[in-house]
Amino acid sequence: MGDYILLAVSCIFVNNILLIQYLGNCPFLGVSKKMETATGMAMAVVFVLVLAGAITWVVNHLLLKPFGVEYLRTLAFILVIASLVQFVELFLKKSIPALYAGLGIFLPLITTNCAVMGVCLINIKEEYSFMQALIASLTYAIGFGLALILFAGVRERILLARVPKPLQDTSIGLVGAGMMSLAFFAFKGMV
Amino acid sequence: MAKTVVQEFTKGLWAEIPPFRLVLGLCPVLAVTKTVENGVGMGIATTFVLVCSNILISLLRNVIPKNVRIACFIVVIATFVIVVELVMQAFAYPLFLKLGIFIPLIVVNCIVLGRAEAFAAKNGVVSSFADGLGIGIGFTLSLTALSIFREVLGSGTFTIPISSVSVPVFGPSFQPFNFLVEAPGAFVCLGLMLCVMNMLGKK
Amino acid sequence: MREMIRLFLVIFLFSCVSGGLLAVVRSGTQERIEYQQLKFVKGPTIKEIMEGCSNDPLSDRFKIMDGDKEISFFVGEFDGKRSVVAFESFGKGFGGDIGVIIAVNLETDEIIGIGVTTHSETPGLGSRAKSEPDLSSQFKGLSIKDPFKVTADGGKIDSISGATITSRGVCGAVVTSASIYERLKNDILKKIKA
C-alpha cells in the first residue's frame, strides 16, 4: 500500500507529467486560457488516460509480448488510443449526454495529446505491474489536471496585466509555465 | 497553382517556422533540447517522418475515404515512426537511448498530423514533399537554435552531433547556468525565443 | 452498415500493409540492433574483463538453450586460441536482480574476470559493486569450481562494507554461473570448435 502512495505522490508532484516531463504541452497552452475549458480538458484526460493506461498495458502484455512483435508497440498504442477516444465519444453521446456536453469537444483533441500516449509508454518502460500501471495512469492524469487548472488561474490573471506586445499570448504563457515548473521543482528528491 | 514549389519549401523556414509561427509540437521542443546532439537528432527524425508521411498521404489522398482519413493518416505516420525507431536502434543506439520515449511520441506530434491534414490531403505530391521538407528543416533549425542556447549556457558544453563529443565552450572557471537545462528553463527559454520571433515580425 | 464495413476494411488493409512493411524493416535491422544493444549495454563490461583478447567478443557469439532459457556466450581469443567464454547470470541483490558477466578459461576452468552489468542497488553502497573493482577483482584467478561465499557466511570473499547483501548477490550470480558452466561445458566446446 505504501508503495502505491509513494508512486501516486511521485506521479502527481515529483514527476508531474506537464511541468517536469514536458508531455501534453499543446493542450496545456491551448485550453488554459479559460478556467472552464481547462476543467473540461482535465476531466476528459483523467477519463481517457485511465482507460488507455489499462487497455494498452493489457495489449502490450497479452498481445504484443507473447507474439514477439513489441516493435509494433507505437502503432498498436496509437490505434488503441484513437479508437478508444472514438468509442468513448459515441458512448457518452448516447448514454450520458450531460457528461458529453461537458467533455465532448475535448475528446477528439486527446488523440494527439502526447501525455496520453506518453504515460502508456512510461508504464511499459518502467515495467509496472497492472495495478501500478493503473495507479500511475490515474495519478499522472490527476497531476495533469492539477497543473492545467492551476495554470488556467494564472493565465486568467495575466489577461488583466499589461504585457508588452511581442510577449503576449503563448509567449508569456510559456514563461509563466516555467515559473510554475520551478515551483514543482521543489518536490524533486522528495520520493 | 498559386504558389510555386519553392515557396512551399521556404515558408517552412521562416514565415511558418514551427514551433514559433506554427505553435504546435511543443513537447519534443522542450524535452530534447538539453544537448545539441539530441536536438538535431530529434529534428532529423521528425523531418524524415514528416516528409515520408506527406508524400504517401498525398499519393493516397484520393483513395482514402473522407470519414476515416484521420485513422489512416495515423497508421501511415505510425509506420514511419516505427521505421525511424528501428533504424535509429540499428545505427545510433546511444541517441536512441537518450531520446527515449520521445521517438515513439513523434506519432502524436501535432505538426506531423497537422501537415497531413492541412496540406498533404489537399495538394499534389511535389508540393507536399516541398512542404514537408520545409517544415521539417524549419523544425530542425528551431530545435538546434534552442538546444545550442540551452546547452552552451546551461552546461557550458557543445555536443557535436553524431560523434557525441562534448566540447567545453568556456574556461574551467565557468559556472554553468543549471536552470536552463532543467524543465523550468526550457519553458522560459522557449517563451523568450517566441517573444524575439514576434518582435522580428513575419517578414 | 455496408459503409461501416467498407471503412473498417480500408483501415484493416492499411494496417496489414504497414505491418508487412514493418516486418521487412524489422528483419533487416534485427541483427544490427541486437549487436548495438550488446555493444552499449554489456559491451563495456565484456571488453573490460576480456582485456587483451585479439578478436571482437561481441560479434563472436553463439547461443545455447539451457532448459527453456537461452544464454548468449561470447568467445574471447587469447594467443591465437579461442579459449575464453563469457556469459551473464543473475543473483538476488538488495534492490533486485544483479546481472554479472563472468569470463572463464575453458582449458583451466579459471575465472578470467567478472563484471557487474545491471543492478538496482543503493547508490553509494551496493552500487559500488559495479563502480569499484574491490569485490570483482577477488574472483580473478579462482577456479570456477571453488565454493563462492562471503566471509560472513564462512567463505573467503570479502564483502563491500555496508553492502553484504549485494556482495552475497554477486557471489550467488557466480555460483549460478558455475552450475551453468558445468552443465553446458560440452556444448560450449562443441560450438567453439564448429
Side-chain angles (χ1 to χ4, degrees), chain A residues 18-19 22-26 29 71 74-75 78 111-112 114 117-118 121 125 166-167 170-171 174 177-178 181-182 185, chain B residues 23 25-27 30-31 74-75 78 82 85 101-102 104-105 107-108 110 113 182-184 186-187 190-191 194-195 198-199:
Chain A
L18 265 176
L19 297 168
Y22 328 85
L23 290 172
N25 276 291
C26 298
L29 291 162
Y71 62 98
T74 316
L75 182 62
I78 190 72
T111 311
T112 52
C114 42
M117 179 84 173
L121 289 169
K125 203 174 157 226
L167 204 58
T170 316
S171 184
L174 278 166
S181 167
L182 198 58
F185 227 61
Chain B
V23 190
L26 291 174
C27 311
L30 294 164
I74 288 177
V75 173
I82 299 177
E85 252 180 284
I101 62 165
F102 287 95
L105 282 179
V107 89
V108 283
C110 334
L113 193 62
E182 300 290 2
F187 284 105
L190 187 64
L194 199 61
C195 167
N198 286 342
M199 278 164 81

Side-chain angles (χ1 to χ4, degrees), chain C residues 9 23 38 81 86 99 141 160 162:
Chain C
L9 274 179
L38 289 173
K81 276 190 289 185
I160 302 170

Side-chain angles (χ1 to χ4, degrees), chain B:
Chain B
M1 206 188 290
K3 282 183 184 168
T4 65
V5 175
V6 180
Q7 277 171 324
E8 297 294 359
F9 174 70
T10 48
K11 73 163 191 281
L13 301 184
W14 185 252
E16 287 185 22
I17 185 168
F20 300 116
R21 301 271 185 251
L22 223 59
V23 190
L24 288 175
L26 291 174
C27 311
V29 176
L30 294 164
V32 302
T33 48
K34 259 184 200 177
T35 65
V36 180
E37 188 190 22
N38 290 3
V40 174
M42 187 69 195
I44 293 171
T46 312
T47 308
F48 173 80
V49 174
L50 197 52
V51 170
C52 292
S53 63
N54 254 13
I55 293 175
L56 198 62
I57 287 167
S58 160
L59 278 173
L60 295 173
R61 69 184 187 280
N62 296 322
V63 186
I64 299 173
K66 276 277 170 297
N67 21 10
V68 285
R69 63 179 192 289
I70 300 288
C72 294
F73 293 168
I74 288 177
V75 173
V76 170
I77 295 167
T79 309
F80 287 116
V81 170
I82 299 177
V83 170
V84 167
E85 252 180 284
L86 291 172
V87 170
M88 217 168 196
Q89 281 185 62
F91 295 96
Y93 197 70
L95 188 64
F96 174 80
L97 288 183
K98 272 184 230 152
L99 294 178
I101 62 165
F102 287 95
I103 294 289
L105 282 179
I106 297 177
V107 89
V108 283
N109 188 325
C110 334
I111 297 178
V112 183
L113 193 62
R115 287 333 279 177
E117 165 79 357
F119 198 92
K122 300 184 185 102
N123 289 283
V125 179
V126 181
S127 38
S128 297
F129 167 75
D131 174 79
L133 193 64
I135 298 277
I137 291 177
F139 187 62
T140 311
L141 287 178
S142 315
L143 280 175
T144 314
L146 191 62
S147 54
I148 289 177
F149 188 71
R150 283 181 69 194
E151 196 192 348
V152 169
L153 291 178
S155 14
T157 55
F158 183 93
T159 312
I160 301 164
I162 300 167
S163 70
S164 38
V165 179
S166 297
V167 185
V169 179
F170 303 102
S173 60
F174 174 72
Q175 190 63 44
F177 188 31
N178 271 336
F179 172 72
L180 281 181
V181 282
E182 300 290 2
F187 284 105
V188 173
C189 215
L190 187 64
L192 294 180
M193 271 181 89
L194 199 61
C195 167
V196 172
M197 287 295 280
N198 286 342
M199 278 164 81
L200 290 175
K202 285 215 170 186
K203 285 285 158 189

